[in-house]
Amino acid sequence: MPLKNYGVLKCQVVDRKLGEGSSPHYQVLVTDDKKNKYRIAINVKSQESPSELLYLIDENFSHPITKELQELNFGFNELPSKPGGVALDYIRGNLFDPKQMKPLPYNVPGPDNDLNELLELYIGRAIASPEAVLYPFGERWGPEADVKDKYFGFLPGNGIHDIHFNQGNAGQFQKDNGVWQDGGLLIHYPARNQWVGIFLAFQSQSFHTDDNTGNRIDEITPIAATAAVRIIAALVNPAGDDVGKETVTLINTSPDKVDLSGWAIADRLKRKQRLSGTINPGEVIKVPLGKDGIQLDNNGGIITLLDHKGIKIDGVSYTKEDSRKQGWTIVF
């Protein structure tokens, strides 16, 4: 069963505690604009082997969801688990390349060498910047009217957890699988319009998952040639009327021909345009988007390349600012 009460908490940080014990979580005390208190519980160690979490931090996170997040009210905002909104999906949302995630232990002697200390760096910066706004994504618990928070002592107990990848699990955690319900932490510094993205996953999880259930698909073995087809550019805002003039440019970086029969390009709402033909080694092709196919929103969006099995091969995102200049091609 997917997560219950999935959403994002718009808040500001007050205090924090390092993760420790048998199931350590980095704990963060936050408030909304009405001074309601919440606790953010961030996993820093896996219960399954290997214990080190995968992490990725993007200090210049750029994605169309950031504009929509700023428009949310402070406090917890429940989110529908579907494309087109601000719900996170590490695979389908084109937030980052999961292959860039690296493992890191939670507690190692010495400075600046574990996940506790890495989170401490970014949460500490947010505490030192009174204007910083946090956006933790995950599952909410509470409010628990008669239960004091066991870390910070406030009442009622209230918070958000599962701030990590929430699909591709097996065994006892398979029940938590779902699409468009991933956790994560975004930090916004309005004065300099900087966004920091913090993304976590367990090494026991799979990044190949079913589009409906989020369950892992273990039998997929990526083929080097097909994995080397990439989206390198898009004309999102053509001169004049956009209809029928938008294009997406692909390149085959491999030394082999790739048959594109049955492949597709998908937009943020997962509308698809089918591809055909062959892309030769080193070849670049420009794919015109049909009038009845997908549409690239000038206010920001994502573009995904799928193979004949519907498996994601590549994906990119762009913002409203990226597509502002009419007639210019965005290079990814």
Side-chain angles (χ1 to χ4, degrees), residues 78-91:
E78 190 167 355
L79 300 175
S81 295
K82 64 180 184 180
V86 299
L88 300 188
D89 191 305
Y90 286 14
I91 301 170

Side-chain angles (χ1 to χ4, degrees), residues 154-206:
F154 62 86
L155 192 70
N158 201 11
I160 186 168
H161 63 161
D162 288 331
I163 304 175
H164 49 68
F165 188 52
N166 288 311
Q167 53 186 302
N169 293 293
Q172 62 175 320
F173 297 108
Q174 183 172 331
K175 66 183 187 316
D176 297 329
N177 287 342
V179 297
W180 296 102
Q181 57 152 35
D182 287 334
L185 176 62
L186 301 182
I187 304 174
H188 184 215
Y189 299 92
R192 55 182 182 269
N193 195 28
Q194 179 190 10
W195 287 83
V196 175
I198 301 175
F199 305 101
L200 302 168
F202 300 110
Q203 294 189 62
S204 57
Q205 294 172 305
S206 171

Side-chain angles (χ1 to χ4, degrees), residues 3 32 34 40 66 89 107-108 122 159 197 206 235 263 282 290 312 321:
L3 301 184
D32 59 22
K34 297 181 176 62
I40 305 171
T66 58
D89 191 305
N107 189 11
V108 177
Y122 289 95
S206 171
L235 178 57
W263 287 43
K312 177 182 171 181
E321 181 62 23

Side-chain angles (χ1 to χ4, degrees), residues 111-124:
D112 304 325
N113 60 357
D114 59 51
L115 191 52
N116 255 330
E117 291 167 343
L118 190 63
L119 291 171
E120 179 75 1
L121 172 64
Y122 289 95
I123 296 300

Side-chain angles (χ1 to χ4, degrees), residues 38-89:
Y38 307 80
R39 173 165 56 89
I40 305 171
I42 306 175
N43 289 74
V44 291
K45 181 182 178 182
S46 175
Q47 295 181 33
E48 297 190 350
S49 181
S51 63
E52 296 87 358
L53 264 69
L54 297 170
Y55 82 97
L56 183 143
I57 295 181
D58 185 347
E59 291 195 336
N60 293 289
F61 180 72
S62 178
H63 195 277
I65 65 170
T66 58
K67 179 179 181 296
E68 298 172 52
L69 288 174
Q70 292 179 74
E71 297 169 356
L72 293 178
N73 294 323
F74 273 84
F76 183 76
N77 295 266
E78 190 167 355
L79 300 175
S81 295
K82 64 180 184 180
V86 299
L88 300 188
D89 191 305

Side-chain angles (χ1 to χ4, degrees), residues 74 106 303:
F74 273 84
Y106 88 98
I303 308 170

Side-chain angles (χ1 to χ4, degrees), residues 194-236:
Q194 179 190 10
W195 287 83
V196 175
I198 301 175
F199 305 101
L200 302 168
F202 300 110
Q203 294 189 62
S204 57
Q205 294 172 305
S206 171
F207 283 98
H208 293 296
T209 66
D210 181 83
D211 263 346
N212 296 311
T213 66
N215 291 336
R216 62 195 301 142
I217 306 175
D218 287 325
E219 65 270 21
I220 294 175
T221 303
I223 300 172
T226 57
V229 181
R230 292 286 179 262
I231 301 168
I232 58 171
L235 178 57
V236 173

